[in-house]
Amino acid sequence: DAKTTQPNSMESNEEEPVHLPCNHSTISGTDYIHWYRQLPSQGPEYVIHGLTSNVNNRMASLAIAEDRKSSTLILHRATLRDAAVYYCILKPTGSARQLTFGSGTQLTVLP
Amino acid sequence: GAVVSQHPSRVICKSGTSVKIECRSLDFQATTMFWYRQFPKQSLMLMATSNEGSKATYEQGVEKDKFLINHASLTLSTLTVTSAHPEDSSFYICSARVRDPNIGRETQYFGPGTRLLVL
């Protein structure tokens, strides 16, 4: 599976936007970019996913570089409840394989 | 989104006893269920993959005789930690995969996890 690289940790102030980067220079043309987050003592929660175009949903936005070698998860207005570990995961289209988690980025939101 | 439940949410047991953890998909039928384990400050590690009615496939290094998985129906999978020891203390998370008919693609949903403490 193609590998992703994320910063170990990031900090943000409450009510400010947060940009969480992910590098995936070995991404293949059929890999979807998935983002999940894990709040303390909970299972992972789906955030967003995309293939080539930028995506928006009620939780976040996903900006994908033109060459697809990197992407950025954007939380438009961080709240204290957004403090979590954010995982960027690549998964081939139609693949029957499970999601494989890297180390993720620990986001701390400061009041 | 789809809901996956786990029971119990936390359990404390004595060394040498067995513990069963249930994972249910509440509003959908799961084609496949996965079991992950997560130690403190670490990421999720896949333990095994199970399909309904067939034997589970275990990841390298995971003892199949110690971590018994039963996938009796499309909505229920169980993980039994046999003869548990303190080193088995961990956060166990199940995940269920379902095919979304609207988009023709499979999506993976996660349970809330079960924290096991073996004394």
Side-chain angles (χ1 to χ4, degrees):
Chain A
D1 292 339
K3 183 182 165 70
T4 63
T5 304
Q6 299 177 253
N8 289 332
S9 62
M10 289 185 66
E11 278 188 357
S12 170
N13 293 319
E14 196 176 9
E15 298 190 5
E16 290 186 357
V18 182
H19 291 233
L20 296 163
C22 181
N23 287 321
H24 28 78
S25 58
T26 59
I27 190 171
S28 75
T30 59
D31 285 339
Y32 272 85
I33 302 161
H34 292 251
W35 283 83
Y36 279 74
R37 72 179 186 181
Q38 186 178 21
L39 279 64
S41 297
Q42 295 188 30
E45 173 188 29
Y46 168 81
V47 178
I48 201 167
H49 76 279
L51 185 62
T52 56
S53 304
N54 294 343
V55 184
N56 300 296
N57 66 20
R58 63 176 179 81
M59 289 182 71
S61 295
L62 176 59
I64 301 172
E66 199 168 328
D67 63 6
R68 299 210 327 127
K69 293 186 177 182
S70 65
S71 61
T72 302
L73 179 71
I74 303 166
L75 306 179
H76 295 286
R77 225 167 137 256
T79 69
L80 296 178
R81 287 176 295 179
D82 291 322
V85 178
Y86 286 79
Y87 296 98
C88 168
I89 303 168
L90 302 183
K91 190 170 182 296
T93 307
S95 169
R97 289 183 60 79
Q98 75 292 339
L99 291 169
T100 301
F101 289 78
S103 54
T105 296
Q106 172 69 63
L107 175 65
T108 301
V109 181
L110 304 173
Chain B
V3 178
V4 176
S5 71
Q6 279 184 243
H7 178 80
S9 58
R10 60 180 61 200
V11 56
I12 301 173
C13 69
K14 292 182 179 179
S15 185
T17 61
S18 294
V19 174
K20 180 186 283 189
I21 302 170
E22 288 188 352
C23 175
R24 293 180 185 272
S25 55
L26 295 185
D27 50 0
F28 65 98
Q29 292 184 327
T31 53
T32 304
M33 287 188 172
F34 305 97
W35 286 95
Y36 291 81
R37 180 168 54 180
Q38 185 176 32
F39 292 107
K41 303 294 184 184
Q42 294 187 25
S43 188
L44 284 77
M45 296 298 294
L46 180 70
M47 297 176 68
T49 302
S50 77
N51 294 293
E52 182 260 343
S54 62
K55 288 184 179 180
T57 303
Y58 291 80
E59 295 298 298
Q60 193 173 8
V62 178
E63 299 174 58
K64 63 179 182 180
D65 295 328
K66 181 171 182 60
F67 298 99
L68 302 178
I69 292 173
N70 183 279
H71 195 157
S73 76
L74 287 171
T75 60
L76 173 64
S77 177
T78 60
L79 169 69
T80 301
V81 183
T82 63
S83 186
H85 287 94
E87 58 265 29
D88 298 322
S89 299
S90 188
F91 193 49
Y92 292 86
I93 304 169
C94 76
S95 178
R97 186 165 64 198
V98 63
R99 186 169 186 82
D100 188 328
N102 296 320
I103 58 177
R105 187 163 41 79
E106 293 189 321
T107 304
Q108 197 169 327
Y109 297 97
F110 290 84
T114 296
R115 189 161 302 281
L116 170 63
L117 176 62
V118 184
L119 301 177

